[in-house]
Amino acid sequence: MGYNSILKSGRLDRRLFLSLVVGSAFLSIPAAWAQNFPAKPITMVVPFPPGGPTDLVARVLAQKMAEQMGQSIVIDNKPGANGNIAAVAVSKAPADGYTVLYNTSSITLSPALYKNLSYDVQRNLAPVALTAVVPLALVVNASLPVNNVREFVAYAKANAGKLSYGSAGNGNVTHLAAYQLVSSQGLDATHVPYRGSAPADVDLVAGQIQFMTDTINSVMPFVKDKRLKLLAVTTSKRMSLFPDAPTLDETIMPGFEAGAWQGMMVPAGTPAAVVQKLNSEVIKALNSSQVKEKLAVQGAEPLGSTPEAYGAYIKRELARWAAVVKATGVTLE
């Protein structure tokens, strides 16, 4: 029965009729809105400075997605506080899909590290897709008399208390992964936090520190010119770039996997159809040969997932790193 028939029947007064018309019109807006998405440029907020490993991957994806969707994607770098400044900004943005966060694994470390976070990753943000991972690599100073992981562990035990390892900062994944290695093997080594990977790599090459688990794209130049020795990678499978480098999983830490993974999120409440549209464009971009080639150059491995799978992954990582952080005793303001 149509609206006019209902009115004529006398079973519905005019005010109720008008409220139904207006209500149904509003209900149809999200669907139409999602169908036309994107109708204007999208802002992709990156939590780290321009030119860094996360920024480079984000720009590769943004460029390809913009080509696919016919709308520009503007990169907005908001570095600081282990990615939290950017996360807060996106969590407070309109939930319309036009502001997205290109996040890293730091988003699952922060809840355990920081006492007073002003956002909740599971309540204030919605997952779009897991995008890529930059593997970590166990690297040692070239002068160290070791050539594989087992020799390294033996050497470290024979020199208890004499070795030190660097990281890109307290509570960073480069710190926590190395801590797990040291702890699992019963090693006695000193942690030296730096302000980023670059200064830590310089000191590692110079011999001021002896080993590190750093992102592969940060140490790749030093490995290639033999200023550092690559002993293992932290992925579940060997990397195509360094097929001779074993994984920690297959050598001394069964089941271990860690990396500086990346993903995309939007403000909570973003329409499901918009989230799905963004997800499909991310997957399409990750499957393109152009993106695969550009990521390979940076040592990044493309991933891809559904929004639901990414949400489940975040939940598991939150629990995992909370336990590791608790064991380290690290807290940040």
Side-chain angles (χ1 to χ4, degrees), residues 60-99:
V60 168
L61 273 178
Q63 181 181 0
K64 189 61 179 175
M65 288 175 66
E67 290 175 9
Q68 293 169 180
M69 295 188 290
Q71 284 288 352
S72 61
I73 297 181
V74 180
I75 300 294
D76 182 10
N77 296 93
K78 290 185 181 296
N82 208 27
N84 292 324
I85 291 174
V88 169
V90 174
S91 72
K92 294 179 179 179
D96 56 11
Y98 288 100
T99 304

Side-chain angles (χ1 to χ4, degrees), residues 138-177:
L138 172 60
V139 286
V140 300
N141 178 269
S143 67
L144 229 61
V146 300
N147 293 301
N148 58 57
V149 179
R150 296 191 187 284
E151 287 182 1
F152 165 72
V153 170
Y155 180 83
K157 287 183 175 179
N159 291 273
K162 297 179 182 178
L163 303 186
S164 57
Y165 62 98
S167 76
N170 264 323
N172 186 276
V173 68
T174 58
H175 168 207
L176 299 180

Side-chain angles (χ1 to χ4, degrees), residues 84 103-113 117 119-125 176 261 265 310-326:
N84 292 324
N103 67 281
T104 68
S105 50
S106 65
I107 207 161
T108 57
L109 302 178
S110 291
L113 289 167
L117 275 185
Y119 74 98
D120 185 299
V121 63
Q122 292 183 292
R123 284 204 302 262
N124 303 130
L125 295 166
L176 299 180
W261 54 262
M265 305 189 82
Y310 186 30
Y313 182 75
I314 287 173
K315 186 176 181 179
R316 291 195 302 272
E317 288 289 279
L318 284 167
R320 172 194 183 187
W321 292 115
V324 174
V325 169
K326 184 178 181 180

Side-chain angles (χ1 to χ4, degrees), residues 243-259:
D244 294 331
T247 66
L248 286 175
D249 169 59
E250 70 183 271
T251 51
I252 59 171
M253 298 176 70
F256 181 77
E257 181 182 2

Side-chain angles (χ1 to χ4, degrees), residues 24-226:
S24 61
F26 276 111
L27 284 173
S28 67
I29 287 174
W33 178 28
Q35 189 174 2
N36 296 325
F37 179 86
K40 62 181 182 179
I42 294 170
T43 297
M44 182 180 287
V45 181
V46 178
F48 300 96
T54 303
D55 178 76
L56 292 174
V57 176
R59 288 175 190 273
V60 168
L61 273 178
Q63 181 181 0
K64 189 61 179 175
M65 288 175 66
E67 290 175 9
Q68 293 169 180
M69 295 188 290
Q71 284 288 352
S72 61
I73 297 181
V74 180
I75 300 294
D76 182 10
N77 296 93
K78 290 185 181 296
N82 208 27
N84 292 324
I85 291 174
V88 169
V90 174
S91 72
K92 294 179 179 179
D96 56 11
Y98 288 100
T99 304
V100 301
L101 174 67
Y102 194 80
N103 67 281
T104 68
S105 50
S106 65
I107 207 161
T108 57
L109 302 178
S110 291
L113 289 167
Y114 290 85
K115 296 177 181 177
N116 298 302
L117 275 185
S118 56
Y119 74 98
D120 185 299
V121 63
Q122 292 183 292
R123 284 204 302 262
N124 303 130
L125 295 166
V128 174
L130 191 59
T131 57
V133 62
V134 179
L136 301 180
L138 172 60
V139 286
V140 300
N141 178 269
S143 67
L144 229 61
V146 300
N147 293 301
N148 58 57
V149 179
R150 296 191 187 284
E151 287 182 1
F152 165 72
V153 170
Y155 180 83
K157 287 183 175 179
N159 291 273
K162 297 179 182 178
L163 303 186
S164 57
Y165 62 98
S167 76
N170 264 323
N172 186 276
V173 68
T174 58
H175 168 207
L176 299 180
Y179 173 85
Q180 286 180 286
L181 168 65
V182 168
S183 177
S184 71
Q185 303 305 306
L187 307 181
D188 180 7
T190 303
H191 172 231
V192 182
Y194 288 80
R195 289 181 176 270
S197 288
D201 294 337
V202 170
D203 273 7
L204 181 57
V205 169
Q208 299 300 314
I209 54 177
Q210 286 71 49
F211 68 100
M212 188 172 175
T213 53
D214 200 4
T215 53
I216 192 69
N217 51 4
S218 295
V219 299
M220 196 184 305
F222 305 112
V223 171
K224 288 185 173 179
D225 66 14
K226 301 188 185 306

